[in-house]
Amino acid sequence: MREKIIIIDDDTETRRFLVQSLIEHGYEAVGYTHSGQAAVSYIHSHDPDLIILDGAGGLNICTELRKFSDKPVLFTSHHSEDYLRIEALNRGADEFIAKPSSFEGLLARIRAHLRRYKQAFPVNQRHLILYPNLQIDPTTHSVMAYGKEVSLSSKEFRLLVVLAKNPNRVFHTETLYDLIWKDMKQGDIRTVMVHIYNLRQKIEKNPSEPLFIHTVRGAGYKFNGSVSLMMESMDA
């Protein structure tokens, strides 16, 4: 089966070129224009293997798709300012590529990210998030920590999944609040700290010296990737 790539770019010429070139190299490629939530819905319904976003308009799309997809995201832009590159990476992009760039270079990056994703997440194991002494199953909303089942609230579970799916990525407190509590028009971001505290009490062996969820002073929180992300079959 051919791997599917969705290109979201409001430049018609660029979009058509990428679609045609990727098809010629054996991929199933589809182009789509920037259109906010419609683009997010399109990605969700088509479940591509990799997504290419363009420009500042792709930032919100990246934020939204990271709520349901861990597929590789490449962010491209004619604007190479640090703020846009940093913001794209903070929102979940796997790589930022400044335009203009050669198609051969982009193709090499696409192949590399697809290869890494396949190696990290074999087809029959992609629904599981496994670390030593911590197992998370998003399909059943279940968590096992140190061999015991853990009961989490819906917000605690969503918070854990966001962090665990992005090891070593620092999430600002405000970013986590926007991701998990977006449906609340007004609120207190201190609720993030409360939920982090509760999570540590439930999943950490020693909550006062957490192994999994680390505080990054002056920034926010990150999941400790050094505990060695392992994907293994439920049948193993």
Side-chain angles (χ1 to χ4, degrees):
M1 182 179 294
R2 294 189 300 167
E3 292 164 309
K4 183 186 298 182
I5 299 173
I6 290 180
I7 302 102
I8 299 186
D9 192 318
D10 56 3
D11 184 291
T12 302
E13 185 175 343
T14 298
R15 190 174 63 252
R16 288 177 177 173
F17 170 76
L18 289 177
V19 168
Q20 184 59 39
S21 298
L22 288 169
I23 290 174
E24 291 174 358
H25 282 80
Y27 296 98
E28 179 182 348
V30 181
Y32 201 81
T33 58
H34 279 137
S35 53
Q37 189 57 43
V40 175
S41 299
Y42 187 84
I43 294 171
H44 190 279
S45 61
H46 286 77
D47 190 25
D49 297 288
L50 182 142
I51 305 102
I52 299 175
L53 301 177
D54 172 73
L59 291 174
N60 289 336
I61 296 173
C62 191
T63 297
E64 291 299 313
L65 72 87
R66 276 301 178 230
K67 296 178 182 180
F68 61 83
S69 175
D70 58 3
K71 300 296 178 59
V73 174
L74 304 187
F75 204 96
T76 66
S77 178
H78 284 291
H79 303 286
S80 57
E81 291 90 344
D82 276 349
Y83 85 88
L84 183 58
R85 177 179 61 83
I86 293 170
E87 189 64 19
L89 296 174
N90 280 339
R91 297 202 186 198
D94 293 278
E95 186 171 356
F96 182 94
I97 304 169
K99 293 181 178 180
S101 62
S102 68
F103 174 73
E104 290 74 16
L106 177 62
L107 182 62
R109 288 176 169 87
I110 289 171
R111 287 171 172 165
H113 283 285
L114 287 172
R115 181 172 61 251
R116 289 168 189 160
Y117 186 85
K118 287 180 186 177
Q119 291 171 346
F121 302 96
V123 172
N124 64 336
Q125 302 163 15
R126 289 179 187 171
H127 67 289
L128 294 176
I129 305 170
L130 291 182
Y131 289 87
N133 297 312
L134 183 65
Q135 174 181 300
I136 307 165
D137 189 344
T139 61
T140 61
H141 281 227
S142 60
V143 176
M144 296 282 291
Y146 294 95
K148 295 181 179 179
E149 188 169 359
V150 176
S151 178
L152 301 181
S153 70
S154 61
K155 291 289 194 296
E156 289 169 350
F157 184 82
R158 289 173 62 189
L159 186 57
L160 178 60
V161 168
V162 167
L163 292 169
K165 276 190 173 183
N166 298 276
N168 294 326
R169 176 184 166 192
V170 178
F171 284 88
H172 292 284
T173 305
E174 294 83 356
T175 301
L176 289 172
Y177 184 84
D178 290 341
L179 286 171
I180 310 300
W181 286 269
K182 184 180 178 182
D183 54 328
M184 298 177 63
K185 294 182 179 179
Q186 293 182 337
D188 191 335
I189 63 171
R190 286 177 294 182
T191 190
V192 175
M193 291 180 277
V194 173
H195 280 71
I196 291 291
Y197 174 84
N198 291 338
L199 266 177
R200 285 171 171 163
Q201 296 300 312
K202 294 178 179 181
I203 69 171
E204 300 283 2
K205 196 165 189 178
N206 184 357
S208 62
E209 296 181 8
L211 172 66
F212 299 115
I213 301 175
H214 287 188
T215 298
V216 180
R217 191 175 299 276
Y221 303 94
K222 72 173 183 178
F223 196 93
N224 178 19
S226 67
V227 293
S228 303
L229 177 61
M230 303 184 306
M231 307 305 296
E232 51 189 44
S233 172
M234 289 288 287
D235 298 326

